[in-house]
Amino acid sequence: MNANATTVDVDKVRPPQAALDLLPARAARGLGALPLTLGEDGALTVCVADRTDPGLLDRLERLTPGHAVRLVEPRDPETFPAALRTHYPDALLNGTLDRPEELFTYLLRRALARNASDIHVSPDATGARIRLRIDGHLEADRREPPEAAAEFVSYIKVLAKLDIAEKRAPQDGNIDTELDGRSVALRVATVPTLYGEHVTLRILSQTLTAPQLERLEHLGMSPGQDRLFRRALHAPNGVIIISGPTGSGKTTTLYAALRALAASDALHLVSIEDPVEKPIDGVTQIKVDSRQERVSFARALRSVLRHDPDVVMIGEVRDGETATTALRSALTGHLVLTTLHTNSAPAILTRLTDLGVPPYLVAATLRLAMAQRLVRRPCPACMRWEPATEDECRACGWDPAAPPNLPRAKGCAYCGMTGYAGRTAVYEMLPVDDAVRAALADGRKGEALERLLNARAPEWTLRGDGLRRVLAGETTLEEVADVIDGDLLMT
């Protein structure tokens, strides 16, 4: 939203809770006023039906002392009442938000409106903090007193079909519900803490744009990366391993790969997951029961191989037995897709040998080692292009005499004043070719493989791909420094 704009699309705004808290619900609904942004200087932008009403401005300034109020109008006046009810619901107006069913609906609607991936209920000595994870960052939403927090946690456990009497052991469950005509799937996890149970609700259908990520061409890979990945994906056998921290989009990439393979209808595709995130047409999906050890990854994989699969996706390699079984299955003509927790693509090879997989087996079966991270996209409504500074040019290898223009995150009503809206992935790819196999045979790994990748194709590294996305306006230099290379902007 441009700072000089006089109208806003209220269907798309994401007002931060700090701005909403400045105006009581009854006053906001009564006056028809929706706070949108709260600047660092204390300036408050408020959306009203008629910004030319001087009496309205006076009343808002009296209700928010110490804040300079600026008024804007809704672009479509007919949508304004619904937006007011979304951010100031009847339950908040009537004082019934302490009822667990009302609080659940309110939080879920808030989370969906802000494209949150998780809702966290964190107990402490004075009640519970409720926070939303938006684009990978936790944002405070509200606090609940002890009794209301305990009732809310019990209500969630009932919806998820968990044992409400069991408060000393972790539990997992699922909630399938509907809100405003939309089906929403939630994964629920509880864990006991010093002050009560912490509850995390993962929203599995969190964004309306999620279906766009079901295709490989929408994952944001560069043309060279896309060719490498597809070439490995269509090999008759071998192993593709993707690494990255929890929540870095590895499952999304694997699911997109499975959907691409399933399109031919000529392959037997099997996945082994814990848990199964989302059903995929054309794929036989198996849920691992790792807690009770009835079906482990390794045991499920050995069983699956007797069913003549062409492609096997393993949700995660957690131990040496699973790693060795997965790689040995590639020797018998299977294509295996899986994930591993390492910091980089070259570190995958080191991790496999650390798990006890013989180096010759890694060299013979691994086709592609990948790493990925999620970085936030700058908000298109408030992003500005500005020349790179001399320090930034020096850090990134750009010519200070001809500095490139870089996107800068500013903050507006559409991004909740964060400057960012949505995320995209950056990738690192190490194809396992003769040079890599020779390095493995010589016992070289770790930093030696990192140097090999940097010398061969620096644009295929996380840093190189991140800088590519910065120059394309798809993320910011600050995000790349924060998520990928912490030393990038240090001077």
Side-chain angles (χ1 to χ4, degrees):
M1 182 179 72
N2 188 293
N4 298 318
T6 58
T7 62
V8 295
D9 185 347
V10 290
D11 283 340
K12 297 179 180 179
V13 295
R14 291 165 46 183
Q17 191 63 39
L20 294 174
D21 287 343
L22 287 176
L23 205 57
R26 190 167 298 278
R29 290 279 293 270
L31 294 173
L34 177 62
L36 298 178
T37 64
L38 180 62
E40 292 182 0
D41 59 356
L44 179 66
T45 302
V46 182
C47 184
V48 297
D50 180 9
R51 69 186 183 91
T52 62
D53 182 353
L56 182 57
L57 178 60
D58 290 341
R59 294 184 67 181
L60 288 172
E61 288 182 336
R62 285 198 300 269
L63 286 167
T64 57
H67 298 280
V69 178
R70 172 177 172 263
L71 301 181
V72 296
E73 294 177 349
R75 196 163 297 162
D76 181 359
E78 293 185 359
T79 63
F80 189 48
L84 264 178
R85 289 193 299 271
T86 295
H87 299 289
Y88 291 105
D90 292 342
L92 192 60
L93 189 69
N94 301 330
T96 58
L97 200 57
D98 57 345
R99 297 176 184 173
E101 63 275 14
E102 298 277 15
L103 181 57
F104 175 74
T105 300
Y106 168 79
L107 288 173
L108 189 55
R109 184 174 283 119
R110 286 270 295 161
L112 293 172
R114 304 193 67 189
N115 284 334
S117 60
D118 302 85
I119 302 171
H120 289 262
V121 183
S122 307
D124 56 28
T126 60
R129 290 180 300 161
I130 299 181
R131 295 174 292 174
L132 306 180
R133 186 173 293 280
I134 301 170
D135 295 337
H137 291 247
L138 278 176
E139 294 187 13
D141 194 87
R142 62 183 296 106
R143 288 195 63 87
E144 291 297 321
E147 288 187 7
E151 289 182 6
F152 182 60
V153 169
S154 295
Y155 179 76
I156 294 297
K157 292 172 72 174
V158 169
L159 291 180
K161 299 180 175 60
L162 303 180
D163 184 355
I164 62 172
E166 177 57 78
K167 299 180 180 181
R168 294 178 295 179
Q171 298 188 67
D172 296 315
N174 296 279
I175 298 174
D176 293 307
T177 187
E178 283 198 5
L179 183 67
D180 302 330
R182 176 181 174 189
S183 296
V184 182
L186 305 171
R187 188 169 74 231
V188 181
T190 71
V191 63
T193 72
L194 182 62
Y195 296 106
E197 292 178 281
H198 179 109
V199 179
T200 301
L201 295 91
R202 167 63 56 89
I203 306 172
L204 300 179
S205 54
Q206 69 269 34
T207 65
L208 295 175
T209 59
Q212 296 176 2
L213 298 177
E214 295 178 356
R215 300 174 63 87
L216 287 178
E217 53 266 36
H218 293 151
L219 294 182
M221 296 180 183
S222 70
Q225 291 171 334
D226 185 70
R227 284 192 298 271
L228 276 178
F229 190 54
R230 290 179 186 272
R231 186 183 307 151
L233 199 59
H234 290 92
N237 55 61
V239 181
I240 300 172
I241 299 181
I242 305 175
S243 75
T246 300
S248 59
K250 301 187 296 297
T251 300
T252 297
T253 302
L254 287 177
Y255 274 21
L258 287 177
R259 289 189 184 93
L261 293 170
S264 69
D265 203 30
L267 298 171
H268 181 197
L269 309 172
V270 179
S271 74
I272 305 169
E273 306 174 60
D274 181 20
V276 174
E277 295 281 1
K278 186 183 294 187
I280 306 176
D281 291 338
V283 179
T284 301
Q285 294 174 276
I286 300 169
K287 182 183 183 303
V288 168
D289 189 0
S290 57
R291 286 173 297 163
Q292 298 187 27
E293 298 299 331
R294 288 185 296 210
V295 184
S296 66
F297 277 110
R299 185 174 179 181
L301 178 57
R302 288 194 297 270
S303 176
V304 160
L305 293 176
R306 293 193 286 270
H307 291 266
D308 189 31
D310 296 295
V311 180
V312 180
M313 191 272 271
I314 306 170
E316 181 184 349
V317 168
R318 297 177 177 174
D319 52 58
E321 181 186 8
T322 305
T324 301
T325 305
L327 270 66
R328 288 193 185 282
S329 67
L331 289 176
T332 57
H334 303 92
L335 179 66
V336 178
L337 314 176
T338 189
T339 70
L340 192 64
H341 283 288
T342 66
N343 290 325
S344 66
I348 289 174
L349 285 72
T350 303
R351 177 65 175 150
L352 288 173
T353 55
D354 289 345
L355 287 173
V357 181
Y360 79 85
L361 187 57
V362 177
T365 59
L366 191 60
R367 294 282 179 266
L368 181 65
M370 290 176 54
Q372 69 177 70
R373 300 287 190 277
L374 291 180
V375 292
R376 291 183 293 176
R377 291 179 177 272
C379 172
C382 60
M383 180 188 77
R384 298 290 179 269
W385 289 91
E386 297 175 1
T389 66
E390 186 174 335
D391 287 342
E392 289 170 339
C393 289
R394 189 182 305 110
C396 300
W398 299 321
D399 183 3
N405 283 327
L406 305 182
R408 306 292 187 183
K410 299 298 183 181
C412 68
Y414 296 118
C415 59
M417 292 302 293
T418 64
Y420 297 92
R423 290 191 290 177
T424 187
V426 293
Y427 302 93
E428 178 171 271
M429 296 192 179
L430 177 66
V432 181
D433 55 15
D434 289 343
V436 175
R437 295 187 188 100
L440 279 173
D442 294 341
R444 287 180 285 157
K445 50 187 180 180
E447 292 184 2
L449 293 175
E450 299 272 2
R451 289 193 295 271
L452 180 65
L453 177 59
N454 276 286
R456 175 189 298 175
E459 71 276 10
W460 289 352
T461 65
L462 285 170
R463 186 181 191 273
D465 195 40
L467 294 181
R468 172 183 74 87
R469 305 300 287 270
V470 169
L471 294 174
E474 296 170 353
T475 189
T476 65
L477 204 55
E478 290 76 15
E479 273 294 286
V480 173
D482 184 48
V483 176
I484 298 170
D485 188 351
D487 297 329
L488 184 63
L489 297 181
M490 294 182 63
T491 57

PDB file of all heavy atoms in Angstrom, residues 350-362:
ATOM      1  N   THR A 350      28.392 -36.653   3.250  1.00  0.00           N
ATOM      2  CA  THR A 350      29.091 -36.883   4.517  1.00  0.00           C
ATOM      3  C   THR A 350      28.168 -37.553   5.525  1.00  0.00           C
ATOM      4  O   THR A 350      28.567 -38.498   6.227  1.00  0.00           O
ATOM      5  CB  THR A 350      29.597 -35.547   5.085  1.00  0.00           C
ATOM      6  OG1 THR A 350      30.439 -34.909   4.133  1.00  0.00           O
ATOM      7  CG2 THR A 350      30.342 -35.760   6.381  1.00  0.00           C
ATOM      8  N   ARG A 351      26.942 -37.084   5.600  1.00  0.00           N
ATOM      9  CA  ARG A 351      25.982 -37.630   6.558  1.00  0.00           C
ATOM     10  C   ARG A 351      25.695 -39.098   6.267  1.00  0.00           C
ATOM     11  O   ARG A 351      25.575 -39.913   7.193  1.00  0.00           O
ATOM     12  CB  ARG A 351      24.693 -36.803   6.508  1.00  0.00           C
ATOM     13  CG  ARG A 351      23.580 -37.301   7.411  1.00  0.00           C
ATOM     14  CD  ARG A 351      23.949 -37.201   8.869  1.00  0.00           C
ATOM     15  NE  ARG A 351      22.841 -37.573   9.728  1.00  0.00           N
ATOM     16  CZ  ARG A 351      22.984 -38.129  10.927  1.00  0.00           C
ATOM     17  NH1 ARG A 351      24.208 -38.358  11.395  1.00  0.00           N
ATOM     18  NH2 ARG A 351      21.942 -38.438  11.652  1.00  0.00           N
ATOM     19  N   LEU A 352      25.571 -39.460   5.004  1.00  0.00           N
ATOM     20  CA  LEU A 352      25.296 -40.859   4.660  1.00  0.00           C
ATOM     21  C   LEU A 352      26.434 -41.770   5.129  1.00  0.00           C
ATOM     22  O   LEU A 352      26.182 -42.851   5.688  1.00  0.00           O
ATOM     23  CB  LEU A 352      25.091 -40.997   3.149  1.00  0.00           C
ATOM     24  CG  LEU A 352      23.785 -40.418   2.582  1.00  0.00           C
ATOM     25  CD1 LEU A 352      23.798 -40.464   1.059  1.00  0.00           C
ATOM     26  CD2 LEU A 352      22.573 -41.184   3.121  1.00  0.00           C
ATOM     27  N   THR A 353      27.669 -41.343   4.901  1.00  0.00           N
ATOM     28  CA  THR A 353      28.788 -42.184   5.334  1.00  0.00           C
ATOM     29  C   THR A 353      28.877 -42.215   6.862  1.00  0.00           C
ATOM     30  O   THR A 353      29.247 -43.236   7.451  1.00  0.00           O
ATOM     31  CB  THR A 353      30.109 -41.680   4.733  1.00  0.00           C
ATOM     32  OG1 THR A 353      30.291 -40.302   5.063  1.00  0.00           O
ATOM     33  CG2 THR A 353      30.098 -41.836   3.220  1.00  0.00           C
ATOM     34  N   ASP A 354      28.508 -41.106   7.521  1.00  0.00           N
ATOM     35  CA  ASP A 354      28.476 -41.091   8.985  1.00  0.00           C
ATOM     36  C   ASP A 354      27.423 -42.055   9.528  1.00  0.00           C
ATOM     37  O   ASP A 354      27.569 -42.587  10.640  1.00  0.00           O
ATOM     38  CB  ASP A 354      28.189 -39.683   9.504  1.00  0.00           C
ATOM     39  CG  ASP A 354      29.361 -38.734   9.310  1.00  0.00           C
ATOM     40  OD1 ASP A 354      30.473 -39.221   9.043  1.00  0.00           O
ATOM     41  OD2 ASP A 354      29.151 -37.502   9.417  1.00  0.00           O
ATOM     42  N   LEU A 355      26.347 -42.269   8.776  1.00  0.00           N
ATOM     43  CA  LEU A 355      25.304 -43.216   9.184  1.00  0.00           C
ATOM     44  C   LEU A 355      25.706 -44.667   8.934  1.00  0.00           C
ATOM     45  O   LEU A 355      24.959 -45.583   9.272  1.00  0.00           O
ATOM     46  CB  LEU A 355      24.001 -42.917   8.443  1.00  0.00           C
ATOM     47  CG  LEU A 355      23.227 -41.667   8.889  1.00  0.00           C
ATOM     48  CD1 LEU A 355      22.056 -41.398   7.947  1.00  0.00           C
ATOM     49  CD2 LEU A 355      22.716 -41.841  10.319  1.00  0.00           C
ATOM     50  N   GLY A 356      26.878 -44.867   8.339  1.00  0.00           N
ATOM     51  CA  GLY A 356      27.363 -46.220   8.118  1.00  0.00           C
ATOM     52  C   GLY A 356      27.158 -46.746   6.717  1.00  0.00           C
ATOM     53  O   GLY A 356      27.428 -47.938   6.452  1.00  0.00           O
ATOM     54  N   VAL A 357      26.680 -45.903   5.793  1.00  0.00           N
ATOM     55  CA  VAL A 357      26.520 -46.342   4.409  1.00  0.00           C
ATOM     56  C   VAL A 357      27.894 -46.375   3.747  1.00  0.00           C
ATOM     57  O   VAL A 357      28.626 -45.378   3.789  1.00  0.00           O
ATOM     58  CB  VAL A 357      25.576 -45.400   3.629  1.00  0.00           C
ATOM     59  CG1 VAL A 357      25.401 -45.888   2.194  1.00  0.00           C
ATOM     60  CG2 VAL A 357      24.234 -45.297   4.332  1.00  0.00           C
ATOM     61  N   PRO A 358      28.291 -47.483   3.120  1.00  0.00           N
ATOM     62  CA  PRO A 358      29.609 -47.546   2.478  1.00  0.00           C
ATOM     63  C   PRO A 358      29.746 -46.489   1.381  1.00  0.00           C
ATOM     64  O   PRO A 358      28.796 -46.264   0.616  1.00  0.00           O
ATOM     65  CB  PRO A 358      29.640 -48.964   1.878  1.00  0.00           C
ATOM     66  CG  PRO A 358      28.621 -49.731   2.639  1.00  0.00           C
ATOM     67  CD  PRO A 358      27.559 -48.758   3.022  1.00  0.00           C
ATOM     68  N   PRO A 359      30.889 -45.812   1.284  1.00  0.00           N
ATOM     69  CA  PRO A 359      31.076 -44.776   0.255  1.00  0.00           C
ATOM     70  C   PRO A 359      30.814 -45.290  -1.153  1.00  0.00           C
ATOM     71  O   PRO A 359      30.287 -44.549  -1.989  1.00  0.00           O
ATOM     72  CB  PRO A 359      32.533 -44.358   0.438  1.00  0.00           C
ATOM     73  CG  PRO A 359      32.828 -44.637   1.882  1.00  0.00           C
ATOM     74  CD  PRO A 359      32.051 -45.881   2.198  1.00  0.00           C
ATOM     75  N   TYR A 360      31.175 -46.562  -1.440  1.00  0.00           N
ATOM     76  CA  TYR A 360      30.943 -47.090  -2.790  1.00  0.00           C
ATOM     77  C   TYR A 360      29.450 -47.137  -3.107  1.00  0.00           C
ATOM     78  O   TYR A 360      29.036 -46.913  -4.257  1.00  0.00           O
ATOM     79  CB  TYR A 360      31.562 -48.483  -2.935  1.00  0.00           C
ATOM     80  CG  TYR A 360      30.741 -49.603  -2.327  1.00  0.00           C
ATOM     81  CD1 TYR A 360      29.699 -50.208  -3.042  1.00  0.00           C
ATOM     82  CD2 TYR A 360      30.992 -50.043  -1.037  1.00  0.00           C
ATOM     83  CE1 TYR A 360      28.936 -51.226  -2.477  1.00  0.00           C
ATOM     84  CE2 TYR A 360      30.231 -51.039  -0.453  1.00  0.00           C
ATOM     85  CZ  TYR A 360      29.208 -51.632  -1.187  1.00  0.00           C
ATOM     86  OH  TYR A 360      28.441 -52.628  -0.609  1.00  0.00           O
ATOM     87  N   LEU A 361      28.622 -47.410  -2.095  1.00  0.00           N
ATOM     88  CA  LEU A 361      27.174 -47.474  -2.310  1.00  0.00           C
ATOM     89  C   LEU A 361      26.606 -46.079  -2.563  1.00  0.00           C
ATOM     90  O   LEU A 361      25.719 -45.905  -3.408  1.00  0.00           O
ATOM     91  CB  LEU A 361      26.497 -48.112  -1.101  1.00  0.00           C
ATOM     92  CG  LEU A 361      24.997 -48.422  -1.214  1.00  0.00           C
ATOM     93  CD1 LEU A 361      24.719 -49.331  -2.407  1.00  0.00           C
ATOM     94  CD2 LEU A 361      24.477 -49.048   0.080  1.00  0.00           C
ATOM     95  N   VAL A 362      27.124 -45.080  -1.851  1.00  0.00           N
ATOM     96  CA  VAL A 362      26.711 -43.695  -2.087  1.00  0.00           C
ATOM     97  C   VAL A 362      27.071 -43.291  -3.510  1.00  0.00           C
ATOM     98  O   VAL A 362      26.247 -42.724  -4.243  1.00  0.00           O
ATOM     99  CB  VAL A 362      27.377 -42.739  -1.072  1.00  0.00           C
ATOM    100  CG1 VAL A 362      26.997 -41.291  -1.378  1.00  0.00           C
ATOM    101  CG2 VAL A 362      26.989 -43.110   0.353  1.00  0.00           C
TER     102      VAL A 362
END
